[in-house]
CSV table of all heavy atoms in Angstrom, one decimal:
chain,number,residue,atom,x,y,z
A,1,MET,N,-8.1,-3.7,15.7
A,1,MET,CA,-6.7,-4.2,15.5
A,1,MET,C,-6.0,-4.2,16.8
A,1,MET,O,-6.1,-3.3,17.6
A,1,MET,CB,-6.1,-3.3,14.6
A,1,MET,CG,-4.5,-3.5,14.4
A,1,MET,SD,-3.9,-2.8,12.9
A,1,MET,CE,-4.4,-3.9,11.6
A,2,THR,N,-5.3,-5.2,17.0
A,2,THR,CA,-4.6,-5.4,18.2
A,2,THR,C,-3.1,-4.9,18.1
A,2,THR,O,-2.7,-4.7,17.0
A,2,THR,CB,-4.5,-6.9,18.7
A,2,THR,OG1,-3.7,-7.6,17.8
A,2,THR,CG2,-5.8,-7.5,18.9
A,3,THR,N,-2.5,-4.7,19.3
A,3,THR,CA,-1.1,-4.2,19.3
A,3,THR,C,-0.2,-5.3,18.5
A,3,THR,O,0.7,-4.9,17.8
A,3,THR,CB,-0.6,-4.0,20.7
A,3,THR,OG1,-1.4,-3.1,21.3
A,3,THR,CG2,0.9,-3.6,20.7
A,4,ALA,N,-0.5,-6.5,18.7
A,4,ALA,CA,0.2,-7.7,18.0
A,4,ALA,C,0.0,-7.6,16.5
A,4,ALA,O,0.9,-7.8,15.7
A,4,ALA,CB,-0.3,-8.9,18.6
A,5,ASP,N,-1.2,-7.3,16.1
A,5,ASP,CA,-1.4,-7.1,14.6
A,5,ASP,C,-0.7,-6.0,14.1
A,5,ASP,O,-0.1,-6.2,13.0
A,5,ASP,CB,-3.0,-6.9,14.4
A,5,ASP,CG,-4.0,-8.0,14.7
A,5,ASP,OD1,-3.4,-9.2,14.7
A,5,ASP,OD2,-5.1,-7.8,15.1
A,6,LEU,N,-0.7,-4.9,14.7
A,6,LEU,CA,0.1,-3.8,14.3
A,6,LEU,C,1.7,-4.1,14.3
A,6,LEU,O,2.3,-3.6,13.3
A,6,LEU,CB,-0.1,-2.5,15.1
A,6,LEU,CG,0.5,-1.2,14.7
A,6,LEU,CD1,0.0,-0.8,13.3
A,6,LEU,CD2,0.0,-0.1,15.7
A,7,ALA,N,2.1,-4.8,15.2
A,7,ALA,CA,3.5,-5.1,15.3
A,7,ALA,C,3.9,-6.1,14.0
A,7,ALA,O,4.9,-5.9,13.4
A,7,ALA,CB,3.9,-5.9,16.5
A,8,VAL,N,3.0,-7.0,13.7
A,8,VAL,CA,3.2,-7.8,12.5
A,8,VAL,C,3.2,-6.9,11.2
A,8,VAL,O,4.2,-7.2,10.4
A,8,VAL,CB,2.1,-8.8,12.4
A,8,VAL,CG1,2.2,-9.5,11.0
A,8,VAL,CG2,2.2,-9.8,13.5
A,9,LEU,N,2.3,-5.9,11.1
A,9,LEU,CA,2.4,-5.1,9.9
A,9,LEU,C,3.7,-4.3,9.8
A,9,LEU,O,4.3,-4.2,8.8
A,9,LEU,CB,1.2,-4.1,9.9
A,9,LEU,CG,-0.1,-4.7,9.7
A,9,LEU,CD1,-1.2,-3.6,9.8
A,9,LEU,CD2,-0.2,-5.4,8.3
A,10,GLU,N,4.1,-3.7,11.0
A,10,GLU,CA,5.4,-3.1,11.0
A,10,GLU,C,6.6,-3.9,10.7
A,10,GLU,O,7.5,-3.6,9.9
A,10,GLU,CB,5.6,-2.3,12.3
A,10,GLU,CG,4.5,-1.2,12.5
A,10,GLU,CD,4.9,-0.2,13.6
A,10,GLU,OE1,6.1,-0.1,13.9
A,10,GLU,OE2,4.1,0.5,14.1
A,11,GLU,N,6.5,-5.1,11.2
A,11,GLU,CA,7.7,-6.1,10.9
A,11,GLU,C,7.8,-6.4,9.4
A,11,GLU,O,8.8,-6.6,8.9
A,11,GLU,CB,7.5,-7.3,11.8
A,11,GLU,CG,8.6,-8.2,11.7
A,11,GLU,CD,8.4,-9.5,12.5
A,11,GLU,OE1,8.1,-9.3,13.7
A,11,GLU,OE2,8.4,-10.7,12.1
A,12,ASP,N,6.6,-6.6,8.9
A,12,ASP,CA,6.5,-7.0,7.4
A,12,ASP,C,6.6,-5.7,6.5
A,12,ASP,O,6.6,-5.9,5.2
A,12,ASP,CB,5.1,-7.6,7.1
A,12,ASP,CG,5.0,-9.0,7.7
A,12,ASP,OD1,6.1,-9.5,8.2
A,12,ASP,OD2,4.0,-9.5,7.7
A,13,GLY,N,6.8,-4.5,7.0
A,13,GLY,CA,7.0,-3.3,6.2
A,13,GLY,C,5.6,-2.9,5.6
A,13,GLY,O,5.6,-2.2,4.6
A,14,ARG,N,4.5,-3.3,6.2
A,14,ARG,CA,3.2,-3.0,5.6
A,14,ARG,C,2.4,-2.0,6.4
A,14,ARG,O,1.2,-1.8,6.3
A,14,ARG,CB,2.4,-4.2,5.5
A,14,ARG,CG,3.0,-5.2,4.5
A,14,ARG,CD,2.1,-6.5,4.4
A,14,ARG,NE,1.4,-6.7,5.7
A,14,ARG,CZ,0.9,-7.8,5.9
A,14,ARG,NH1,0.8,-8.8,5.0
A,14,ARG,NH2,0.2,-8.0,7.0
A,15,ARG,N,2.9,-1.3,7.4
A,15,ARG,CA,2.3,-0.3,8.3
A,15,ARG,C,1.7,0.8,7.4
A,15,ARG,O,0.6,1.3,7.6
A,15,ARG,CB,3.3,0.2,9.3
A,15,ARG,CG,2.8,1.4,10.1
A,15,ARG,CD,1.5,1.1,10.9
A,15,ARG,NE,0.8,2.3,11.3
A,15,ARG,CZ,1.0,2.8,12.6
A,15,ARG,NH1,1.8,2.0,13.5
A,15,ARG,NH2,0.4,3.9,13.1
A,16,HIS,N,2.5,1.3,6.4
A,16,HIS,CA,2.1,2.3,5.5
A,16,HIS,C,0.8,2.0,4.8
A,16,HIS,O,-0.1,2.8,4.6
A,16,HIS,CB,3.2,2.7,4.6
A,16,HIS,CG,3.0,4.1,3.9
A,16,HIS,ND1,2.8,5.3,4.5
A,16,HIS,CD2,2.7,4.3,2.5
A,16,HIS,CE1,2.7,6.1,3.6
A,16,HIS,NE2,2.5,5.6,2.5
A,17,ASP,N,0.7,0.7,4.4
A,17,ASP,CA,-0.6,0.3,3.7
A,17,ASP,C,-1.8,0.5,4.6
A,17,ASP,O,-2.8,1.0,4.1
A,17,ASP,CB,-0.4,-1.2,3.4
A,17,ASP,CG,0.7,-1.6,2.4
A,17,ASP,OD1,1.4,-0.6,1.9
A,17,ASP,OD2,0.8,-2.7,2.0
A,18,LEU,N,-1.6,0.2,5.9
A,18,LEU,CA,-2.7,0.4,6.8
A,18,LEU,C,-3.0,1.9,6.9
A,18,LEU,O,-4.2,2.3,6.9
A,18,LEU,CB,-2.3,-0.2,8.2
A,18,LEU,CG,-3.3,0.1,9.3
A,18,LEU,CD1,-4.8,-0.5,9.1
A,18,LEU,CD2,-2.8,-0.3,10.7
A,19,ASP,N,-1.9,2.7,7.2
A,19,ASP,CA,-2.1,4.1,7.2
A,19,ASP,C,-2.9,4.7,6.1
A,19,ASP,O,-3.8,5.6,6.2
A,19,ASP,CB,-0.7,4.9,7.3
A,19,ASP,CG,-0.1,4.6,8.7
A,19,ASP,OD1,-0.7,4.0,9.7
A,19,ASP,OD2,1.2,4.8,8.8
A,20,VAL,N,-2.5,4.3,4.9
A,20,VAL,CA,-3.2,4.7,3.6
A,20,VAL,C,-4.8,4.4,3.7
A,20,VAL,O,-5.6,5.2,3.4
A,20,VAL,CB,-2.6,4.1,2.4
A,20,VAL,CG1,-3.4,4.2,1.1
A,20,VAL,CG2,-1.2,4.7,2.1
A,21,ARG,N,-5.1,3.2,4.1
A,21,ARG,CA,-6.4,2.8,4.1
A,21,ARG,C,-7.2,3.6,5.2
A,21,ARG,O,-8.3,4.0,4.9
A,21,ARG,CB,-6.6,1.2,4.5
A,21,ARG,CG,-6.1,0.3,3.4
A,21,ARG,CD,-6.3,-1.1,3.8
A,21,ARG,NE,-5.5,-2.0,2.9
A,21,ARG,CZ,-6.1,-2.5,1.9
A,21,ARG,NH1,-7.4,-2.3,1.6
A,21,ARG,NH2,-5.4,-3.3,1.1
A,22,VAL,N,-6.6,3.8,6.3
A,22,VAL,CA,-7.3,4.7,7.3
A,22,VAL,C,-7.5,6.0,6.8
A,22,VAL,O,-8.6,6.6,7.0
A,22,VAL,CB,-6.4,4.7,8.6
A,22,VAL,CG1,-7.0,5.7,9.6
A,22,VAL,CG2,-6.5,3.2,9.3
A,23,VAL,N,-6.5,6.6,6.2
A,23,VAL,CA,-6.6,8.1,5.8
A,23,VAL,C,-7.7,8.2,4.7
A,23,VAL,O,-8.6,9.0,4.7
A,23,VAL,CB,-5.3,8.7,5.3
A,23,VAL,CG1,-5.4,9.9,4.5
A,23,VAL,CG2,-4.4,8.8,6.5
A,24,THR,N,-7.6,7.3,3.7
A,24,THR,CA,-8.5,7.4,2.5
A,24,THR,C,-10.0,7.1,3.0
A,24,THR,O,-10.9,7.7,2.5
A,24,THR,CB,-8.1,6.5,1.4
A,24,THR,OG1,-8.0,5.2,1.8
A,24,THR,CG2,-6.8,7.0,0.8
A,25,THR,N,-10.1,6.2,3.9
A,25,THR,CA,-11.4,5.9,4.4
A,25,THR,C,-12.0,7.0,5.2
A,25,THR,O,-13.2,7.5,5.0
A,25,THR,CB,-11.4,4.6,5.3
A,25,THR,OG1,-11.0,3.5,4.4
A,25,THR,CG2,-12.8,4.3,5.8
A,26,ALA,N,-11.2,7.7,6.0
A,26,ALA,CA,-11.6,8.7,6.9
A,26,ALA,C,-12.0,10.0,6.1
A,26,ALA,O,-12.9,10.7,6.3
A,26,ALA,CB,-10.5,9.1,7.9
A,27,LEU,N,-11.1,10.2,5.1
A,27,LEU,CA,-11.3,11.5,4.3
A,27,LEU,C,-12.5,11.3,3.2
A,27,LEU,O,-13.2,12.3,3.0
A,27,LEU,CB,-10.1,11.9,3.5
A,27,LEU,CG,-8.9,12.3,4.4
A,27,LEU,CD1,-7.7,12.6,3.4
A,27,LEU,CD2,-9.3,13.6,5.1
A,28,ALA,N,-12.7,10.1,2.8
A,28,ALA,CA,-13.8,9.9,1.8
A,28,ALA,C,-13.8,10.9,0.6
A,28,ALA,O,-14.8,11.6,0.5
A,28,ALA,CB,-15.1,9.7,2.4
A,29,ARG,N,-12.7,11.1,-0.1
A,29,ARG,CA,-12.6,12.1,-1.0
A,29,ARG,C,-12.5,11.5,-2.4
A,29,ARG,O,-11.4,11.0,-2.8
A,29,ARG,CB,-11.3,13.0,-0.9
A,29,ARG,CG,-11.4,13.9,0.5
A,29,ARG,CD,-10.2,14.4,0.9
A,29,ARG,NE,-9.7,15.5,0.1
A,29,ARG,CZ,-8.6,16.3,0.4
A,29,ARG,NH1,-8.0,16.0,1.5
A,29,ARG,NH2,-8.2,17.3,-0.4
A,30,PRO,N,-13.6,11.3,-3.1
A,30,PRO,CA,-13.5,10.6,-4.4
A,30,PRO,C,-12.7,11.2,-5.5
A,30,PRO,O,-12.3,10.5,-6.3
A,30,PRO,CB,-15.0,10.5,-4.8
A,30,PRO,CG,-15.7,11.7,-4.1
A,30,PRO,CD,-14.9,11.8,-2.8
A,31,GLY,N,-12.3,12.5,-5.3
A,31,GLY,CA,-11.5,13.1,-6.3
A,31,GLY,C,-10.0,13.0,-6.0
A,31,GLY,O,-9.1,13.5,-6.8
A,32,ALA,N,-9.7,12.3,-5.0
A,32,ALA,CA,-8.2,12.1,-4.4
A,32,ALA,C,-7.6,11.0,-5.1
A,32,ALA,O,-8.1,9.9,-5.2
A,32,ALA,CB,-8.2,12.2,-3.0
A,33,ALA,N,-6.3,11.1,-5.3
A,33,ALA,CA,-5.5,10.0,-5.7
A,33,ALA,C,-4.2,9.9,-4.9
A,33,ALA,O,-3.7,11.0,-4.5
A,33,ALA,CB,-5.1,10.1,-7.3
A,34,LEU,N,-3.7,8.7,-4.6
A,34,LEU,CA,-2.5,8.7,-3.8
A,34,LEU,C,-1.2,9.2,-4.7
A,34,LEU,O,-1.3,9.0,-5.9
A,34,LEU,CB,-2.2,7.3,-3.4
A,34,LEU,CG,-3.4,6.7,-2.6
A,34,LEU,CD1,-3.2,5.2,-2.3
A,34,LEU,CD2,-3.5,7.5,-1.3
A,35,SER,N,-0.3,9.8,-4.1
A,35,SER,CA,0.8,10.4,-4.8
A,35,SER,C,2.1,10.3,-4.1
A,35,SER,O,2.1,9.9,-2.9
A,35,SER,CB,0.4,11.8,-5.2
A,35,SER,OG,0.5,12.7,-4.1
A,36,HIS,N,3.2,10.7,-4.8
A,36,HIS,CA,4.5,10.9,-4.2
A,36,HIS,C,4.9,9.5,-3.7
A,36,HIS,O,4.7,8.5,-4.2
A,36,HIS,CB,4.6,12.0,-3.2
A,36,HIS,CG,4.2,13.3,-3.8
A,36,HIS,ND1,3.0,13.8,-4.1
A,36,HIS,CD2,5.1,14.3,-4.2
A,36,HIS,CE1,3.0,15.0,-4.6
A,36,HIS,NE2,4.3,15.3,-4.7
A,37,GLY,N,5.6,9.6,-2.5
A,37,GLY,CA,6.1,8.4,-1.7
A,37,GLY,C,5.0,7.4,-1.4
A,37,GLY,O,5.3,6.3,-1.3
A,38,THR,N,3.8,7.9,-1.1
A,38,THR,CA,2.6,7.0,-0.8
A,38,THR,C,2.4,6.0,-2.0
A,38,THR,O,2.3,4.9,-1.8
A,38,THR,CB,1.4,7.9,-0.6
A,38,THR,OG1,1.7,8.7,0.6
A,38,THR,CG2,0.2,7.0,-0.1
A,39,ALA,N,2.2,6.6,-3.2
A,39,ALA,CA,2.0,5.7,-4.3
A,39,ALA,C,3.2,4.8,-4.5
A,39,ALA,O,3.1,3.6,-4.8
A,39,ALA,CB,1.8,6.6,-5.6
A,40,ALA,N,4.5,5.3,-4.4
A,40,ALA,CA,5.6,4.5,-4.6
A,40,ALA,C,5.7,3.4,-3.6
A,40,ALA,O,6.0,2.2,-4.0
A,40,ALA,CB,6.8,5.4,-4.4
A,41,ARG,N,5.3,3.6,-2.4
A,41,ARG,CA,5.4,2.5,-1.4
A,41,ARG,C,4.3,1.4,-1.7
A,41,ARG,O,4.7,0.2,-1.6
A,41,ARG,CB,5.0,3.1,0.0
A,41,ARG,CG,6.2,3.7,0.7
A,41,ARG,CD,5.9,4.1,2.1
A,41,ARG,NE,7.0,4.8,2.7
A,41,ARG,CZ,7.2,6.1,2.7
A,41,ARG,NH1,6.4,6.9,2.2
A,41,ARG,NH2,8.2,6.5,3.4
A,42,LEU,N,3.2,1.9,-2.2
A,42,LEU,CA,2.1,0.8,-2.5
A,42,LEU,C,2.5,0.1,-3.7
A,42,LEU,O,2.2,-1.1,-3.8
A,42,LEU,CB,0.8,1.6,-2.7
A,42,LEU,CG,0.2,2.2,-1.5
A,42,LEU,CD1,-1.1,2.9,-1.8
A,42,LEU,CD2,0.0,1.1,-0.4
A,43,TRP,N,3.3,0.7,-4.7
A,43,TRP,CA,3.8,-0.1,-5.8
A,43,TRP,C,5.1,-0.8,-5.5
A,43,TRP,O,5.6,-1.5,-6.3
A,43,TRP,CB,3.9,0.9,-7.0
A,43,TRP,CG,2.5,1.1,-7.6
A,43,TRP,CD1,1.9,2.4,-7.4
A,43,TRP,CD2,1.9,0.4,-8.6
A,43,TRP,NE1,0.7,2.3,-8.2
A,43,TRP,CE2,0.6,1.1,-8.8
A,43,TRP,CE3,2.2,-0.8,-9.2
A,43,TRP,CZ2,-0.2,0.6,-9.8
A,43,TRP,CZ3,1.2,-1.4,-10.0
A,43,TRP,CH2,0.0,-0.6,-10.3
A,44,ARG,N,5.6,-0.7,-4.3
A,44,ARG,CA,6.8,-1.3,-3.9
A,44,ARG,C,7.9,-0.9,-4.7
A,44,ARG,O,8.9,-1.7,-5.1
A,44,ARG,CB,6.7,-2.9,-3.9
A,44,ARG,CG,5.5,-3.4,-3.1
A,44,ARG,CD,5.8,-3.3,-1.7
A,44,ARG,NE,4.6,-4.1,-0.9
A,44,ARG,CZ,3.8,-3.5,-0.1
A,44,ARG,NH1,3.8,-2.2,0.0
A,44,ARG,NH2,2.9,-4.2,0.6
A,45,LEU,N,8.0,0.4,-5.1
A,45,LEU,CA,9.0,1.0,-5.8
A,45,LEU,C,10.2,1.4,-4.9
A,45,LEU,O,10.0,1.7,-3.6
A,45,LEU,CB,8.6,2.2,-6.6
A,45,LEU,CG,7.5,1.9,-7.7
A,45,LEU,CD1,7.1,3.3,-8.2
A,45,LEU,CD2,8.0,1.1,-8.7
A,46,PRO,N,11.4,1.5,-5.4
A,46,PRO,CA,12.5,2.0,-4.6
A,46,PRO,C,12.3,3.4,-4.0
A,46,PRO,O,11.8,4.2,-4.8
A,46,PRO,CB,13.8,2.0,-5.4
A,46,PRO,CG,13.3,1.2,-6.6
A,46,PRO,CD,11.9,1.2,-6.7
A,47,LEU,N,12.6,3.6,-2.8
A,47,LEU,CA,12.4,5.0,-2.2
A,47,LEU,C,13.7,5.5,-1.7
A,47,LEU,O,14.7,4.7,-1.4
A,47,LEU,CB,11.6,4.9,-0.9
A,47,LEU,CG,10.1,4.4,-1.2
A,47,LEU,CD1,9.4,4.1,0.1
A,47,LEU,CD2,9.3,5.4,-2.1
A,48,ARG,N,13.9,6.9,-1.8
A,48,ARG,CA,15.1,7.4,-1.2
A,48,ARG,C,15.2,7.2,0.4
A,48,ARG,O,14.1,7.2,1.0
A,48,ARG,CB,15.3,8.9,-1.6
A,48,ARG,CG,14.3,9.8,-1.0
A,48,ARG,CD,14.5,11.3,-1.5
A,48,ARG,NE,13.3,12.0,-1.3
A,48,ARG,CZ,13.1,12.8,-0.3
A,48,ARG,NH1,14.1,13.0,0.6
A,48,ARG,NH2,12.0,13.5,-0.2
A,49,VAL,N,16.4,7.1,0.9
A,49,VAL,CA,16.6,7.0,2.3
A,49,VAL,C,16.0,8.2,3.1
A,49,VAL,O,16.2,9.4,2.7
A,49,VAL,CB,18.1,6.9,2.6
A,49,VAL,CG1,18.3,6.7,4.1
A,49,VAL,CG2,18.5,5.5,1.9
A,50,GLY,N,15.3,8.0,4.1
A,50,GLY,CA,14.8,9.1,5.0
A,50,GLY,C,13.5,9.8,4.5
A,50,GLY,O,13.1,10.7,5.0
A,51,LEU,N,12.8,9.0,3.5
A,51,LEU,CA,11.6,9.6,3.0
A,51,LEU,C,10.5,9.5,4.2
A,51,LEU,O,10.3,8.4,4.7
A,51,LEU,CB,11.0,8.8,1.7
A,51,LEU,CG,9.8,9.4,1.1
A,51,LEU,CD1,10.1,10.7,0.6
A,51,LEU,CD2,9.3,8.4,0.1
A,52,ALA,N,9.9,10.6,4.4
A,52,ALA,CA,8.8,10.7,5.5
A,52,ALA,C,7.7,9.8,5.2
A,52,ALA,O,7.3,9.5,4.0
A,52,ALA,CB,8.3,12.1,5.6
A,53,PRO,N,7.2,9.2,6.3
A,53,PRO,CA,6.2,8.1,6.1
A,53,PRO,C,4.8,8.7,5.9
A,53,PRO,O,3.7,8.0,6.1
A,53,PRO,CB,6.2,7.3,7.3
A,53,PRO,CG,6.7,8.3,8.3
A,53,PRO,CD,7.6,9.1,7.6
A,54,GLU,N,4.6,10.0,5.6
A,54,GLU,CA,3.2,10.6,5.5
A,54,GLU,C,2.5,10.1,4.4
A,54,GLU,O,3.1,9.5,3.4
A,54,GLU,CB,3.5,12.1,5.4
A,54,GLU,CG,4.1,12.5,4.0
A,54,GLU,CD,4.5,14.0,3.9
A,54,GLU,OE1,4.5,14.6,5.0
A,54,GLU,OE2,4.9,14.4,2.9
A,55,VAL,N,1.2,10.1,4.5
A,55,VAL,CA,0.3,9.8,3.4
A,55,VAL,C,0.0,10.9,2.5
A,55,VAL,O,-0.5,12.0,3.1
A,55,VAL,CB,-1.1,9.1,3.9
A,55,VAL,CG1,-2.1,8.8,2.8
A,55,VAL,CG2,-0.8,8.0,4.8
A,56,ARG,N,0.3,10.9,1.2
A,56,ARG,CA,0.0,12.1,0.5
A,56,ARG,C,-0.9,11.8,-0.7
A,56,ARG,O,-1.0,10.7,-1.2
A,56,ARG,CB,1.4,12.5,-0.2
A,56,ARG,CG,2.4,13.0,0.8
A,56,ARG,CD,3.5,13.9,0.4
A,56,ARG,NE,2.9,15.0,-0.3
A,56,ARG,CZ,3.8,16.0,-0.7
A,56,ARG,NH1,5.1,15.9,-0.5
A,56,ARG,NH2,3.3,17.0,-1.3
A,57,LEU,N,-1.8,12.8,-1.0
A,57,LEU,CA,-2.8,12.7,-2.0
A,57,LEU,C,-2.7,13.9,-2.9
A,57,LEU,O,-2.2,14.9,-2.6
A,57,LEU,CB,-4.2,12.8,-1.2
A,57,LEU,CG,-4.5,12.0,-0.1
A,57,LEU,CD1,-5.8,12.5,0.5
A,57,LEU,CD2,-4.7,10.6,-0.4
A,58,VAL,N,-3.3,13.7,-4.1
A,58,VAL,CA,-3.5,14.8,-5.1
A,58,VAL,C,-5.0,14.8,-5.2
A,58,VAL,O,-5.6,13.8,-5.4
A,58,VAL,CB,-2.8,14.6,-6.4
A,58,VAL,CG1,-3.3,15.6,-7.3
A,58,VAL,CG2,-1.4,14.6,-6.2
A,59,ASP,N,-5.7,15.9,-4.9
A,59,ASP,CA,-7.0,16.0,-5.0
A,59,ASP,C,-7.4,17.1,-6.1
A,59,ASP,O,-7.1,18.2,-6.1
A,59,ASP,CB,-7.7,16.5,-3.7
A,59,ASP,CG,-9.2,16.4,-3.7
A,59,ASP,OD1,-9.8,16.5,-4.8
A,59,ASP,OD2,-9.8,16.3,-2.5
A,60,ARG,N,-8.1,16.6,-7.1
A,60,ARG,CA,-8.4,17.4,-8.3
A,60,ARG,C,-9.2,18.6,-8.0
A,60,ARG,O,-9.1,19.7,-8.6
A,60,ARG,CB,-9.0,16.6,-9.4
A,60,ARG,CG,-10.4,16.1,-9.1
A,60,ARG,CD,-10.9,15.2,-10.2
A,60,ARG,NE,-12.1,14.6,-9.8
A,60,ARG,CZ,-12.6,13.6,-10.4
A,60,ARG,NH1,-12.2,13.2,-11.5
A,60,ARG,NH2,-13.7,13.0,-9.9
A,61,THR,N,-10.0,18.5,-6.8
A,61,THR,CA,-10.8,19.6,-6.5
A,61,THR,C,-10.0,20.7,-5.6
A,61,THR,O,-10.2,21.9,-5.7
A,61,THR,CB,-12.0,19.2,-5.6
A,61,THR,OG1,-11.5,18.5,-4.4
A,61,THR,CG2,-12.9,18.3,-6.3
A,62,ALA,N,-8.9,20.2,-5.0
A,62,ALA,CA,-8.0,21.1,-4.3
A,62,ALA,C,-6.9,21.7,-5.3
A,62,ALA,O,-6.4,22.8,-5.0
A,62,ALA,CB,-7.4,20.5,-3.1
A,63,GLY,N,-6.6,20.9,-6.3
A,63,GLY,CA,-5.6,21.4,-7.2
A,63,GLY,C,-4.1,21.3,-6.9
A,63,GLY,O,-3.3,21.8,-7.5
A,64,ALA,N,-3.9,20.6,-5.7
A,64,ALA,CA,-2.4,20.5,-5.2
A,64,ALA,C,-2.2,19.2,-4.4
A,64,ALA,O,-3.2,18.7,-3.9
A,64,ALA,CB,-2.2,21.7,-4.4
A,65,ALA,N,-1.0,18.8,-4.3
A,65,ALA,CA,-0.7,17.7,-3.5
A,65,ALA,C,-0.6,18.2,-2.1
A,65,ALA,O,0.0,19.2,-1.8
A,65,ALA,CB,0.7,17.1,-3.9
A,66,VAL,N,-1.3,17.4,-1.3
A,66,VAL,CA,-1.4,17.7,0.3
A,66,VAL,C,-1.0,16.7,1.1
A,66,VAL,O,-1.5,15.5,0.8
A,66,VAL,CB,-2.7,18.4,0.6
A,66,VAL,CG1,-3.0,19.7,-0.1
A,66,VAL,CG2,-3.9,17.4,0.2
A,67,PRO,N,-0.2,16.8,2.2
A,67,PRO,CA,-0.1,15.7,3.2
A,67,PRO,C,-1.4,15.4,3.9
A,67,PRO,O,-2.1,16.4,4.3
A,67,PRO,CB,1.0,16.2,4.0
A,67,PRO,CG,1.6,17.4,3.4
A,67,PRO,CD,0.6,17.9,2.5
A,68,ALA,N,-1.8,14.2,4.0
A,68,ALA,CA,-3.0,13.8,4.7
A,68,ALA,C,-2.8,13.6,6.2
A,68,ALA,O,-3.7,13.4,6.9
A,68,ALA,CB,-3.8,12.7,4.0
A,69,THR,N,-1.5,13.3,6.5
A,69,THR,CA,-1.2,13.0,8.0
A,69,THR,C,-0.4,14.1,8.6
A,69,THR,O,0.2,14.9,8.0
A,69,THR,CB,-0.5,11.6,8.0
A,69,THR,OG1,0.7,11.7,7.2
A,69,THR,CG2,-1.4,10.5,7.5
């Protein structure tokens, strides 16, 4: 990915989508599901102002929601 590609994603508001793909690919945790603001962003739901851009997962093997970034 080039700097220009990343700039386009940020301009279009899709940077978080890329971050999610990178994190889920790198972790390779089949028991994990996206949660909290991460899931809301992917579903394009309204978010509260100032919500951190972290990627959050719930992993049934860990039993808790944990930030992945």
